[in-house]
Amino acid sequence: ELEPLIAGSDIVLGIFGNSEKARMVIPNKGFQAMAVGRAVISRESPAIDELFTDGESIITVPAGNPSRLAEAVERLRADPAMRERIAGNASSLVRKGYAPEGVARRFLEILADEGLVSESRLCR
């Protein structure tokens, strides 16, 4: 059911809770939305900061702050060029760095570096 909802959206909302889990995750729907060129708004967090840049590939707001979330939604709604720029940057980043094949390849490289799998077993 997620695919048509994302396809019909200009902006996708991520995660906004105050829990420790919410601080440490990036929901799969965020990656899916970015991959198909949708702008994402999510809470500020170390997980988001590790992969994405606020105002460049995502819009972040303080956790549990509905006023700032509403402001971010309105800002992206009112500025289609900004929304498209952020969506395009995120799409490029996700498609290049976080597609399943790339993630699997990097995982195998880490295993090989640790001596847990032979280098000859890696598919390049």
Side-chain angles (χ1 to χ4, degrees), residues 86-99:
I86 288 171
N89 290 341
S91 181
S92 293
L93 181 66
V94 167
R95 287 175 174 268
K96 289 178 186 168
Y98 305 106

Side-chain angles (χ1 to χ4, degrees), residues 68-100:
R68 292 285 297 276
L69 173 58
E71 290 169 10
V73 169
E74 180 55 30
R75 192 167 74 236
L76 285 180
R77 186 205 63 76
D79 190 343
M82 178 179 161
R83 186 176 66 236
E84 290 172 19
R85 179 181 51 79
I86 288 171
N89 290 341
S91 181
S92 293
L93 181 66
V94 167
R95 287 175 174 268
K96 289 178 186 168
Y98 305 106

